[in-house]
Amino acid sequence: RIGMLKNLFKIMVFCFMCFQYSSAVSVNDGFEEYNKGNVFQALNIFEEACEGGAYVGCYNAALIYYKGSRVERDYEKAANLFIKACDEGHSEACYNIAYMFENGLGVNTDSSKAAILYDRSCQNGVGAACYNLSIMYEKEDGVEKDSFKAVDYLTQACNLDHAKACYNLAIKFQKEDGVEKNPLKAANLYQKSCDLNYASACYNLGVMYFDGLFLKKDNSKAAELFSKACDMNLDVACKAYGNLNK
């Protein structure tokens, strides 16, 4: 009897592994159909995969309903599918459903729930979730106002290469907003944000080089940064570049 139980267990494990493989294949089939432009077929495949326990299928079906591209937009269906995927640990799904709770899309607005979900997503490496949570602590939206936590989440977001988070953090160190004034740290953060192609960061760093108050004055470096920001369509940077080259 023990031998029979062992064999039965092996069969159950084998069947479970086959089931997982089948679900993964289904999701891949969905991607193939989506890339061919067959959105309805892809949606059906993703939803079937979701029902079968492949939560990447839930996530991708949710995206299709959320975007409403070639199918009728349905925020409620999108929310339900994002919740399923998030409950199984899909970080981007947690971010998306947090955003939907924050903005009342397909669900009742619930900033407190959004904050919890943003935190879960942030801890799993989604920089945008850390950034949004920093704004919530700054504005007292669904959480108690807490400047220290706002800075902490901004730092986490910046460490995850969120360009605007690095920019906002730089401003805080430059203007002594919730942190000790540290212009050199601000400059380093502006540089990181600029490297991530955030135009305003390039411009602000250019101003620091042009002013020469905290960094060694360097018009050449300032011009380079103004030019980069101008190429990203920041009008004030274009004017600054023009004035510097008169």
Side-chain angles (χ1 to χ4, degrees), residues 70-144:
R70 301 187 191 177
V71 298
E72 186 176 353
R73 177 174 284 163
D74 191 326
Y75 285 138
E76 188 173 344
K77 282 186 178 179
N80 288 333
L81 288 162
F82 280 137
I83 288 169
K84 277 189 177 183
C86 176
D87 287 344
E88 294 301 315
H90 195 294
S91 301
E92 287 78 9
C94 293
Y95 170 80
N96 288 350
I97 190 59
Y99 181 85
M100 295 180 82
F101 273 116
E102 185 182 10
N103 294 281
L105 300 173
V107 291
N108 292 327
T109 302
D110 190 334
S111 295
S112 296
K113 188 172 285 188
I116 292 168
L117 289 163
Y118 277 140
D119 182 64
R120 185 189 303 178
S121 186
C122 172
Q123 301 314 316
N124 283 309
V126 179
C130 306
Y131 174 77
N132 286 7
L133 196 49
S134 76
I135 301 301
M136 294 180 81
Y137 276 107
E138 196 80 55
K139 294 184 175 180
E140 199 172 5
D141 178 16
V143 291
E144 290 185 13

Side-chain angles (χ1 to χ4, degrees), residues 5-245:
L5 287 172
K6 285 183 177 179
N7 289 334
L8 179 61
F9 179 73
K10 287 178 182 178
I11 292 169
M12 290 173 65
V13 171
F14 177 74
C15 290
F16 178 69
M17 290 174 68
C18 289
F19 172 75
Q20 286 187 315
Y21 176 75
S22 175
S23 297
V25 170
S26 296
V27 172
N28 287 335
D29 289 344
F31 284 128
E32 287 182 11
E33 292 300 326
Y34 187 85
N35 290 332
K36 291 176 187 175
N38 301 326
V39 178
F40 284 105
Q41 291 91 326
L43 180 59
N44 287 334
I45 291 169
F46 287 143
E47 288 187 307
E48 286 178 10
C50 176
E51 289 299 319
Y55 292 98
V56 174
C58 307
Y59 175 73
N60 285 291
L63 285 178
I64 291 174
Y65 281 121
Y66 183 89
K67 292 177 180 177
S69 175
R70 301 187 191 177
V71 298
E72 186 176 353
R73 177 174 284 163
D74 191 326
Y75 285 138
E76 188 173 344
K77 282 186 178 179
N80 288 333
L81 288 162
F82 280 137
I83 288 169
K84 277 189 177 183
C86 176
D87 287 344
E88 294 301 315
H90 195 294
S91 301
E92 287 78 9
C94 293
Y95 170 80
N96 288 350
I97 190 59
Y99 181 85
M100 295 180 82
F101 273 116
E102 185 182 10
N103 294 281
L105 300 173
V107 291
N108 292 327
T109 302
D110 190 334
S111 295
S112 296
K113 188 172 285 188
I116 292 168
L117 289 163
Y118 277 140
D119 182 64
R120 185 189 303 178
S121 186
C122 172
Q123 301 314 316
N124 283 309
V126 179
C130 306
Y131 174 77
N132 286 7
L133 196 49
S134 76
I135 301 301
M136 294 180 81
Y137 276 107
E138 196 80 55
K139 294 184 175 180
E140 199 172 5
D141 178 16
V143 291
E144 290 185 13
K145 186 178 179 65
D146 191 324
S147 297
F148 293 107
K149 284 189 176 180
V151 170
D152 179 56
Y153 281 111
L154 269 184
T155 302
Q156 289 185 60
C158 180
N159 289 340
L160 290 166
D161 292 340
H162 191 286
K164 193 171 183 181
C166 298
Y167 171 77
N168 285 7
L169 198 55
I171 290 176
K172 286 184 173 293
F173 279 107
Q174 189 174 18
K175 295 186 176 181
E176 201 171 5
D177 177 14
V179 293
E180 289 186 12
K181 189 178 182 74
N182 191 333
L184 294 180
K185 191 161 189 176
N188 288 333
L189 287 163
Y190 281 138
Q191 183 66 66
K192 180 172 183 178
S193 183
C194 179
D195 289 342
L196 292 166
N197 296 319
Y198 196 73
S200 294
C202 302
Y203 172 73
N204 283 13
L205 186 57
V207 170
M208 292 183 78
Y209 276 111
F210 178 75
D211 288 343
L213 296 177
F214 301 105
L215 301 175
K216 184 178 179 182
K217 185 173 177 66
D218 188 333
N219 284 358
S220 176
K221 186 67 176 175
E224 178 187 330
L225 289 160
F226 290 151
S227 176
K228 181 173 181 178
C230 179
D231 288 342
M232 290 185 276
N233 301 313
L234 187 66
D235 288 341
V236 67
C238 298
K239 291 176 183 176
Y241 180 75
N243 291 334
L244 197 57
N245 286 279

